[in-house]
Amino acid sequence: MASRDTDAAINDFVDRHGLHQMRHAIDQEGQVWGAFGIIGQPAWVFVDGATGESTVTFGALSEEQLLARLEELG
């Protein structure tokens, strides 16, 4: 969830890092960030689709770390 920048800058970031395989949303007002207690990037929020329970992980995750985290969550 991108925030704190212009749409153009966010889209440039997605292009530069080849992140088109992921869905992106722009949170210009910071409402979503605030709801999850996000104070900066990078941060990952994992939401359980069944319960709505969420966990936040701050810091960069490698592809391997992300895949392992997703596997943990089932």
Side-chain angles (χ1 to χ4, degrees), residues 14-61:
V14 170
D15 290 342
R16 185 171 58 252
H17 294 283
L19 299 173
H20 296 281
Q21 74 279 12
M22 299 175 72
R23 288 189 177 207
H24 298 273
I26 298 175
D27 181 26
Q28 290 290 32
E29 303 299 320
Q31 293 174 336
V32 177
W33 274 34
F36 288 105
I38 305 300
I39 56 172
Q41 295 176 341
W44 295 83
V45 179
F46 299 93
V47 180
D48 184 311
T51 67
E53 184 178 327
S54 64
T55 57
V56 177
T57 301
F58 291 96
L61 294 179

